[in-house]
Amino acid sequence: MQLYSTNNPNLRVSLREAVMAGMPEDKGLFMPVDIPRLPEQFFQNLASRSFQEISIEVAQHLLQGAIPARDLDAIVERAIDFRAPLVRLDDSIYILELFHGPSLAFKDFGARFMAKMMAYFNRNESKELLILVATSGDTGGAVAAGFFKTPGIRVVILYPSGKVSPLQEKQLTTLGHNITAIEVDGTFDDCQSLVKQAFLDRDLTSSLRLSSANSINIARLIPQTFYYFEAYKQAMPSKGPIVFSVPSGNFGNLTAGLLAKKMGLPIARFIAATNANDVVPAYIETGVYAPRASTRTLSNAMDVGAPSNFARMLDLYCSTWNMIRADVVGFSFSDEETQEAMRDIDKTYNYVIDPHGAVGYLALRKYQQENPCTGIVLETAHPGKFVEDVTRILGHPIEIPSSLAELGDKEKRAVSIKANYPLFKSWLLQNA
Ligand SMILES: *Cc1c(COP(=O)(O)O)cnc(C)c1O
């Protein structure tokens, strides 16, 4: 498998280089040179295969021997060790629950697969790999859980003090072992700036082996293709074309779906479902891409004003607006509409959906008004992750998974620092 940069189609790097670097030096994004179609036989036998078997086959096909089969199988089996069940609401609406992993959000797929793959590429190094990540909330929990107890890798996660939810903070600060949380007296931008300075600091890069667990790493995108095949398998008895509605922020999830389609999965359309941060639906409508500062909403993991994977979407369609529009439609919704939908789904179907999934549901409903189809909504997080909002909106208590409930009793451990680079640097030099 070879990869190029969306900024330079002539660049060629190996999977190992792309995964360990995260991003090309030209600030583009890595893309596979070949996205081969799966053989017809794979689709014929889909129904009889387990999620893990499907994931292994897709991974082997896409990676084309970049990792020996036996090692790749082990990576997939260890990373994808939880379910992605499809829940039927009615004959035309299904919910794909992507929240059965350790941090209860779909980001577990990407984070776990990236962790196992990095550990594999790092396996013969004698010196520890130090991963630095800044988080505004959700990514940190998935990365912490994904790398927990990974041999040879230590993770330092910076988060802004008082600016992540109490539950998110617990997900970052209670694991221990190879995971260290740093509580920064500042904003998310301060955290990101500290990490960026560290990567540019020769004193650090000469003495430590640094890497990032960036959300744009190709190793996070690859496993997100797996569950589109799994969802298709579970929905197969249904009639008509199949459409996926994807609640989107940075558009990694939707881009993975486009890769699955390119590998031959017969998906009729993708629906880009957003909150008020609607730069991609606006692009699909007008052909003009106008990134801007993000607006805060109820579905805050989608509060992105300049989606990083948009460059990959353009690249897949040779930057041709009409080609993108043929495969992707977009709709955006307000917080009021989102809350209304959550209550509606609760009443009509007795199903509790989180605010992100509710945006996906609204978009599917809107699409179906003019396009009859079987629709699958990606439910990206467990509603229990947003228990305060969800119980307030629905007006009744909801079920909380035991893993979340137990977090409350665990002790928070974090290193507190000011948003000051020399302090962060000296902490790293002394402790890493
Ligand atoms: C990250 C996230 C999203 C957005 O996913 P992208 O791949 O960035 O579009 C949606 N919902 C939840 C719950 C998330 O954590």
Side-chain angles (χ1 to χ4, degrees):
M1 182 189 200
Q2 288 195 309
L3 299 105
Y4 63 92
S5 163
T6 52
N7 282 347
N8 177 7
N10 297 319
L11 185 84
R12 288 290 183 275
V13 303
S14 67
L15 179 64
R16 182 198 177 102
E17 285 170 85
V19 170
M20 298 314 268
M23 195 188 229
E25 277 175 10
D26 64 17
K27 304 265 161 59
L29 299 180
F30 286 120
M31 280 296 273
V33 172
D34 282 323
I35 304 168
R37 278 183 88 84
L38 283 143
E40 211 36 59
Q41 195 195 0
F42 167 80
F43 294 101
Q44 280 158 11
N45 299 335
L46 205 57
S48 63
R49 304 224 165 133
S50 71
F51 184 22
Q52 279 192 336
E53 288 167 345
I54 291 171
S55 303
I56 285 172
E57 189 135 350
V58 173
Q60 285 186 351
H61 199 72
L62 188 60
L63 268 56
Q64 298 181 301
I67 295 177
R70 210 199 279 163
D71 296 326
L72 182 57
D73 294 0
I75 291 171
V76 175
E77 275 166 12
R78 277 188 237 129
I80 314 298
D81 61 352
F82 50 93
R83 299 178 316 134
L86 194 68
V87 175
R88 178 183 172 280
L89 294 191
D90 63 30
D91 276 349
S92 63
I93 300 194
Y94 292 80
I95 305 287
L96 182 66
E97 292 186 348
L98 297 175
F99 55 66
H100 294 276
S103 84
L104 306 177
F106 83 93
K107 289 191 174 71
D108 285 324
F109 286 94
R112 287 178 71 77
F113 188 81
M114 174 169 59
K116 310 293 173 215
M117 191 171 265
M118 278 189 164
Y120 172 77
F121 285 136
N122 194 51
R123 69 197 183 286
N124 294 327
E125 301 285 344
S126 52
K127 197 162 160 184
E128 195 174 58
L129 184 68
L130 178 65
I131 293 188
L132 301 180
V133 213
T135 182
S136 56
D138 246 19
T139 304
V143 167
F147 282 92
F148 184 50
K149 294 189 175 169
T150 301
I153 300 184
R154 175 143 179 225
V155 180
V156 172
I157 301 180
L158 289 81
Y159 72 97
S161 179
K163 294 186 181 68
V164 304
S165 81
L167 219 115
Q168 286 174 331
E169 183 173 41
K170 287 275 177 160
Q171 285 188 328
L172 300 176
T173 58
T174 56
L175 287 173
H177 287 273
N178 61 329
I179 311 293
T180 307
I182 299 197
E183 182 175 7
V184 176
D185 183 12
T187 62
F188 170 62
D189 290 335
D190 292 328
C191 297
Q192 213 160 22
S193 156
L194 291 176
V195 169
K196 280 195 181 141
Q197 287 179 75
F199 283 122
L200 295 172
D201 187 331
R202 281 177 185 255
D203 295 342
L204 289 182
T205 52
S206 63
S207 59
L208 302 169
R209 289 185 61 231
L210 292 182
S211 190
S212 76
N214 210 306
S215 68
I216 45 107
N217 197 305
I218 190 74
R220 284 180 57 165
L221 214 56
I222 292 167
Q224 289 177 228
T225 63
F226 304 160
Y227 46 72
Y228 285 92
F229 294 92
E230 169 69 7
Y232 183 82
K233 171 190 91 181
Q234 295 179 57
M236 242 175 350
S238 62
K239 293 187 188 67
I242 291 194
V243 162
F244 279 90
S245 180
V246 189
S248 295
N250 261 322
F251 281 82
N253 223 352
L254 196 142
T255 302
L258 299 177
L259 292 179
K261 184 174 163 87
K262 238 188 159 166
M263 285 188 267
L265 190 66
I267 302 171
R269 274 275 172 76
F270 291 89
I271 307 174
T274 72
N275 56 33
N277 297 282
D278 66 348
V279 296
V280 172
Y283 165 80
I284 290 164
E285 181 75 31
T286 64
V288 178
Y289 180 62
R292 55 167 195 262
S294 66
T295 311
R296 197 165 168 80
T297 75
L298 184 63
S299 46
N300 59 39
M302 298 164 20
D303 293 349
V304 180
S308 47
N309 281 292
F310 185 67
R312 282 192 170 118
M313 293 172 68
L314 280 181
D315 194 78
L316 276 167
Y317 291 95
C318 309
S319 303
T320 310
W321 178 50
N322 275 329
M323 282 167 65
I324 294 189
R325 275 170 27 119
D327 280 357
V328 186
V329 298
F331 301 113
S332 80
F333 299 91
S334 68
D335 281 356
E336 287 67 39
E337 291 169 306
T338 306
Q339 299 189 39
E340 195 54 45
M342 290 167 68
R343 285 190 285 264
D344 187 38
I345 299 164
D346 186 35
K347 270 208 208 90
T348 313
Y349 303 110
N350 196 24
Y351 185 84
V352 177
I353 203 162
D354 96 295
H356 304 82
V359 172
Y361 170 86
L362 281 165
L364 176 61
R365 278 283 193 204
K366 189 155 179 174
Y367 180 77
Q368 285 178 331
Q369 283 171 9
E370 286 173 17
N371 306 274
C373 64
T374 297
I376 298 175
V377 178
L378 270 49
E379 170 56 318
T380 47
H382 192 288
K385 284 198 91 166
F386 313 97
V387 58
E388 291 89 1
D389 284 337
V390 176
T391 50
R392 175 176 48 76
I393 292 162
L394 299 184
H396 63 73
I398 60 167
E399 240 175 87
I400 303 293
S402 56
S403 62
L404 268 191
E406 284 158 14
L407 271 180
D409 302 330
K410 293 198 178 149
E411 195 191 341
K412 165 184 161 181
R413 291 221 181 106
V415 178
S416 291
I417 66 164
K418 291 221 151 43
N420 170 301
Y421 182 67
L423 285 178
F424 177 52
K425 178 176 177 174
S426 68
W427 183 86
L428 277 178
L429 287 171
Q430 277 164 31
N431 294 278

